[in-house]
């Protein structure tokens, strides 16, 4: 990962008067307006977040509430086919769950786990990176060695391991909220390395500058210097990684859920819905799996395109 | 060179000790081994007896040492669920995973290099643009969705290929192979494509980038000036020079191919180590999880080590750099 510097106007850690105006005026926003692909990807991503937030208003039923599911309504094909029934626009599954409602609510879970997971990973990575970069020495060596070893293994393997160990520590039967927390934890613990490395790199550059020496001279505690003065100058690249990692985190959650170690069927995420739908692949009920799969693929493609564009737009070498 | 190799080997051993400690911690502290062995109504005296006989009362370091020695002898204890030695379970399933991973890698290398060369040489052709777009979508599609899509198309709709399992296998000593029977080969097609697709797009992009770089160099221009045929220039000189990084990446990726086989094996119910591991995670079968971590780490670390050492052998510039650093 090459170190990237945040251009002026994209520094979110210093909210001053008129930062919105400056953001609209910045080079990045100009590049954004000129790129139809980026605008399209941003619109699709925002639309996914919007329908996830307003899912209770848009969905015809709450798929997490067993009382609202009628077995009579099971296995209805999508509305446009011959046997379709209102209000099941995209059909229903074995338990009479409306596929569209399940997708809307599942999207909520997927995005929630993704955002919280990336947030946790960034938090761990930033703290460790700050500490490693600022203090250096033995602390730095230990943290970075751990990071090196962890980087040898794919994140999905680490996430699966953590998931299994936590579950065995808490006994196997867990309620939905705990499962969600376990997923966030395993994603957070498997993606922190990149943040730590990037922040450490930026901090090592910042540490030698005069303003840090000045802050040390007037006797500010290390923690205050790190948090108030060094960190804001290292945040730019973190935002880029977070955007790119969001797609990866959502994908990891979906994969874990698909493998059966993620969200349970009583509170399904998109990955769980695909796992449920996989059981009906051979009996011809293709809609139970096709629509959640399409939603997941579109979401990840949109975030990936946005992240790719952001990386290029913020990379001074490519300007 | 010797110093470099030695340092790399020591580093690899260090990583393995860390992973071993992790694996031991999981094995020893996540879940109580006693409650898995004795019946529900065993008295506390009986439990203490078994604790003593298993050596669970010894100091942790002694237990760790014993675990390490046992692991080195490929003895990972008994599976909680299958009531069989973990080593036997892993050994039974290893051929399936290794065959799948090898096929996927060979497929990814062949197609990736071919398509990469094509897209580099005919940069602006319609097919090259199409391939780049498709590769971007291919990266965004989750592995399990690609597998399900293939199953739906070729097994459910068309009925050409089997949708799950390994087909008939032939026994060669302890190794079971699906490569010698028709049904085994047919079963191998879809999982290999699913597993290899991501590596293929990776290699394709890498070959394309490297080829474009090499084609701009002076020695290619000079070869053109000498009047060598385009074919000799492209394949004899340009491609040859792109292959070193490609082989390195493919080698390093072989480890993640084995890890990603977890997903592919679940989709296709392929009876390999990955499927065993996923089932172990679901059943909280800690001995299998701990052993899988050790075995996969060993494969990873060994491959990284070999690639690093080979790389310095192939590329003398790196060798000199490493020597200067030590």
């Amino acid at each position: 990962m090459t170190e990237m510097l945040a251009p002026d106007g994209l520094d979110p850690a210093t909210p001053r008067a008129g930062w919105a105006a400056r953001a609209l005026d910045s080079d990045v926003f100009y590049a954004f307006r000129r790129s139809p692909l980026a605008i399209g990807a941003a619109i699709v991503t925002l639309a996914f977040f919007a329908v996830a937030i307003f899912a209770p208003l848009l969905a015809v039923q709450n798929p997490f509430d067993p009382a609202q599911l009628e077995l009579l309504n099971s296995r209805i094909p999508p509305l446009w086919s011959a046997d379709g029934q209102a209000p099941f626009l995209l059909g229903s599954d074995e338990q009479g769950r409306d596929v569209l409602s399940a997708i809307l609510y599942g999207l909520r879970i997927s995005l929630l786990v993704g955002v919280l997971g990336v947030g946790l990973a960034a938090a761990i990575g930033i703290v460790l990176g700050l500490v490693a970069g600022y203090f250096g020495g033995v602390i730095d060596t230990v943290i970075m060695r751990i990071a090196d070893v962890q980087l040898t293994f794919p994140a999905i393997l680490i996430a699966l391991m953590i998931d299994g160990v936590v579950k065995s520590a808490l006994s196997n039967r867990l309620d939905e909220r705990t499962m969600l927390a376990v997923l966030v934890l395993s994603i957070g613990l498997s993606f922190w390395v990149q943040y730590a490395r990037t922040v450490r790199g930026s901090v090592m550059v910042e540490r030698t500058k005069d303003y840090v020496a000045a802050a040390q001279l007037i006797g500010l505690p290390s923690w205050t210097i790190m948090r108030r003065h060094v960190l804001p100058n290292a945040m730019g690249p973190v935002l880029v990684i977070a955007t790119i990692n969001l797609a990866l985190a959502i994908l990891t959650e979906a994969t874990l859920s698909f493998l059966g170690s993620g969200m349970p069927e009583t509170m399904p995420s998109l990955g769980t819905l695909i796992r449920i739908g996989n059981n009906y692949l051979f009996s011809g009920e293709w809609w139970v799996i096709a629509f959640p799969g399409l939603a997941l693929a579109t979401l990840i493609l949109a975030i990936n395109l946005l992240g790719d564009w952001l990386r290029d737009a913020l990379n001074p070498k490519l300007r | 060179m010797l110093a470099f190799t030695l340092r790399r080997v020591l580093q690899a051993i260090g990583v393995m000790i860390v992973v071993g400690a992790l694996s031991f911690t999981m094995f020893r502290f996540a879940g109580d081994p006693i409650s898995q062995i004795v019946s529900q109504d065993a008295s506390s005296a009986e439990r203490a007896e078994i604790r003593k006989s298993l050596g669970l009362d010894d100091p942790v370091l002694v237990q760790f040492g014993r675990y390490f020695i046992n692991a080195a002898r490929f003895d990972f204890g008994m599976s909680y669920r299958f009531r069989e030695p973990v080593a036997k379970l892993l050994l039974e399933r290893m051929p399936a995973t290794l065959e799948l991973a090898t096929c996927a890698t060979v497929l990814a290398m062949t197609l990736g290099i071919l398509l990469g060369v094509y897209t580099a040489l005919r940069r602006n052709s319609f097919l090259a643009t199409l391939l780049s777009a498709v590769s971007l979508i291919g990266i965004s599609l989750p592995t399990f969705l690609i597998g399900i899509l293939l199953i739906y198309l070729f097994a459910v709709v068309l009925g050409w290929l089997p949708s799950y399992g390994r087909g008939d296998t032939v026994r060669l000593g302890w190794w079971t192979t699906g490569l010698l029977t028709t049904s085994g080969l047919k079963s191998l097609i879809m999982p290999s494509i699913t597993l290899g697709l991501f590596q293929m797009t990776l290699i394709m992009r890498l070959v394309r980038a490297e080829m474009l770089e090499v084609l701009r160099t002076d020695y290619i221009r000079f070869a053109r000036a000498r009047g060598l045929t385009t074919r000799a220039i492209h394949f004899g000189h340009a491609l040859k020079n792109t292959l070193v990084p490609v082989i390195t990446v493919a080698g390093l990726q072989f480890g993640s191919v084995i890890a990603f086989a977890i997903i592919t094996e679940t989709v296709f119910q392929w009876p390999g180590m990955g499927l065993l591991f996923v089932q172990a995670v679901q059943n909280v079968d800690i001995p299998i999880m701990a052993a899988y971590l050790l075995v996969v780490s060993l494969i990873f670390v060994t491959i990284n080590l070999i690639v690093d050492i080979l790389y310095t052998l192939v590329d003398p510039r790196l060798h000199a750099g490493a020597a200067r650093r030590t």
Side-chain angles (χ1 to χ4, degrees):
Chain A
M1 194 77 210
T2 52
E3 266 88 56
M4 290 171 278
L5 293 172
D8 287 332
L10 204 96
D11 198 344
T14 49
R16 262 174 268 148
W19 65 268
R22 281 197 301 138
L24 286 180
D25 205 30
S26 67
D27 295 348
V28 175
F29 191 73
Y30 178 73
F32 180 74
R33 274 185 311 182
R34 298 284 303 267
S35 161
L37 197 66
I39 294 178
I43 290 174
V44 173
T45 310
L46 285 179
F48 269 108
F49 271 95
V51 295
I53 291 167
F54 296 112
L57 301 176
L58 298 168
V60 294
Q61 57 167 226
N62 179 358
F64 300 165
D65 180 8
Q68 289 191 24
L69 307 179
E70 293 269 358
L71 275 180
L72 272 177
N73 292 332
S74 68
R75 301 182 178 213
I76 296 171
L79 199 56
W80 57 85
S81 60
D83 298 324
Q85 269 177 40
F88 301 103
L89 184 61
L90 300 180
S92 70
D93 70 1
E94 176 104 313
Q95 291 160 352
R97 191 163 21 208
D98 175 39
V99 171
L100 182 59
S101 307
I103 291 176
L104 291 175
Y105 274 83
L107 198 59
R108 277 187 131 184
I109 305 285
S110 292
L111 288 175
L112 187 68
V113 173
V115 170
L116 288 181
V118 167
L120 181 66
I124 300 173
I126 288 170
V127 171
L128 290 180
L130 261 180
V131 171
Y134 190 82
F135 292 115
V138 183
I139 304 174
D140 182 36
T141 314
V142 170
I143 293 177
M144 286 301 123
R145 276 300 121 194
I146 297 174
D148 284 347
V149 173
Q150 181 161 345
L151 218 56
T152 326
F153 301 96
I156 185 78
L157 187 65
I158 295 165
L160 263 174
M161 277 295 174
I162 296 169
D163 194 65
V165 170
V166 173
K167 268 203 270 181
S168 83
L170 296 174
S171 89
N172 205 8
R173 293 271 160 262
L174 299 172
D175 63 89
E176 291 96 357
R177 279 170 201 287
T178 326
M179 274 315 307
L180 203 143
V182 172
L183 277 176
V184 170
L185 183 75
S186 41
I187 290 174
L189 287 179
S190 35
F191 284 105
W192 63 272
V193 175
Q194 226 183 338
Y195 299 93
R197 288 190 151 194
T198 315
V199 170
R200 173 178 173 266
S202 316
V203 169
M204 286 174 85
V205 174
E206 295 294 323
R207 192 181 51 175
T208 54
K209 291 192 177 161
D210 285 345
Y211 74 93
V212 176
Q216 281 168 340
L217 264 180
I218 60 170
L220 284 181
S222 310
W223 180 241
T224 314
I225 300 176
M226 279 194 269
R227 190 170 50 88
R228 291 281 304 276
H229 303 288
V230 177
L231 181 60
N233 289 310
M235 276 303 279
V238 170
L239 283 181
V240 180
I241 302 175
T243 316
I244 296 167
N245 267 2
L246 181 61
L248 218 53
I250 293 173
L251 195 58
T252 307
E253 185 280 327
T255 308
L256 287 178
S257 291
F258 175 78
L259 295 177
S261 322
M263 294 305 293
E265 294 188 10
T266 44
M267 202 197 231
S269 68
L270 288 179
T272 322
L273 288 175
I274 293 169
R275 185 162 76 102
I276 298 172
N278 200 19
N279 299 333
Y280 304 114
L281 202 58
F282 295 95
S283 50
E285 277 114 14
W286 53 271
W287 58 89
V288 185
I289 189 167
F291 297 117
L294 195 66
L296 181 67
T298 319
L299 175 67
I300 288 172
L301 183 64
I303 302 179
N304 266 344
L305 285 174
L306 201 60
D308 271 359
W309 171 82
L310 195 63
R311 183 174 49 196
D312 293 350
L314 291 182
N315 191 347
K317 281 186 210 143
L318 289 178
R319 286 242 186 93
Chain B
M1 181 65 208
L2 187 69
F4 172 78
T5 311
L6 254 164
R7 211 180 39 172
R8 271 305 276 114
V9 169
L10 280 180
Q11 218 174 337
I13 292 174
V15 171
M16 275 321 287
I17 289 177
V18 172
V19 173
L22 271 177
S23 162
F24 168 72
T25 320
M26 268 170 73
F27 180 76
R28 179 63 190 83
F29 298 107
D32 183 16
I34 296 292
S35 62
Q36 304 287 343
I37 297 167
V38 298
S39 60
Q40 289 281 322
D41 42 57
S43 70
S44 55
E46 275 176 283
R47 281 168 192 262
E49 184 69 29
I50 294 171
R51 280 192 88 80
K52 206 169 163 56
S53 70
L54 285 176
L56 291 175
D57 290 334
D58 295 342
V60 171
L61 266 179
V62 174
Q63 290 191 40
F64 180 48
R66 192 160 45 217
Y67 181 77
F68 226 76
I69 293 167
N70 282 343
R73 286 204 217 109
F74 215 62
D75 174 9
F76 300 112
M78 300 281 275
S79 153
Y80 292 162
R81 187 174 174 83
F82 295 98
R83 307 263 164 212
E84 275 186 81
V86 173
K88 181 169 165 269
L89 289 167
L90 276 177
L91 209 59
E92 270 172 14
R93 284 151 200 256
M94 200 182 273
T97 297
L98 288 183
E99 273 180 10
L100 176 60
T102 312
C103 275
T105 306
V106 170
L107 188 81
M109 290 273 280
T110 325
L111 277 180
I113 292 175
L114 280 177
L115 293 178
V117 169
Y118 179 81
T119 47
L121 294 182
R122 305 244 182 290
R123 199 148 37 120
N124 296 317
S125 74
F126 172 71
L127 194 60
T129 326
L130 187 77
L131 278 171
S132 307
V134 169
S135 79
L136 189 67
I137 296 172
I139 284 183
S140 291
L141 264 184
T143 316
F144 57 93
L145 272 184
I146 293 171
I148 292 170
L149 216 62
L150 287 178
I151 292 183
Y152 187 70
L153 200 62
F154 292 104
V156 180
V157 175
L158 296 171
W160 289 350
L161 296 168
S163 59
Y164 67 90
R166 232 185 137 191
D168 299 326
T169 52
V170 179
R171 217 162 225 303
L172 299 171
W174 62 273
W175 186 278
T176 55
T177 178
L179 296 174
L180 297 175
T181 61
T182 329
S183 80
L185 284 174
K186 268 171 119 180
S187 315
L188 198 57
I189 297 175
M190 286 201 293
S192 306
I193 294 176
T194 311
L195 187 57
L197 209 58
F198 185 79
Q199 323 294 327
M200 193 199 85
T201 47
L202 199 77
I203 291 172
M204 183 182 123
R205 284 161 167 242
L206 185 70
V207 169
R208 179 175 182 276
E210 293 279 334
M211 271 297 262
L212 287 176
E213 192 108 319
V214 170
L215 284 177
R216 271 200 296 266
T217 53
D218 285 342
Y219 64 82
I220 295 293
R221 209 171 292 158
F222 186 69
R224 285 227 172 86
R226 258 176 71 198
L228 292 184
T229 58
T230 332
R231 198 190 152 105
I233 294 172
H234 288 163
F235 296 98
H237 297 276
L239 183 61
K240 224 181 196 172
N241 276 297
T242 64
L243 281 184
V244 177
V246 169
I247 289 170
T248 320
V249 168
L252 289 176
Q253 287 286 318
F254 191 74
S256 41
V257 168
I258 288 178
F260 280 110
I262 295 173
I263 305 164
T264 311
E265 286 179 9
T266 311
V267 175
F268 291 95
Q269 292 296 303
W270 188 263
M273 291 193 297
L275 189 61
L276 184 74
F277 174 67
V278 165
Q279 287 165 349
V281 171
Q282 277 160 22
N283 302 324
V284 198
D285 200 337
I286 297 287
I288 293 186
M289 285 169 66
Y292 180 85
L293 179 67
L294 266 186
V295 170
V296 168
S297 312
L298 188 65
I299 297 176
F300 267 48
V301 170
T302 315
I303 290 172
N304 280 357
L305 186 67
I306 294 173
V307 169
D308 264 11
I309 292 174
L310 276 185
Y311 209 63
T312 45
L313 280 182
V314 171
D315 195 336
R317 281 169 296 180
L318 276 175
H319 173 189
R324 227 178 296 129
R325 254 187 290 137
T326 40

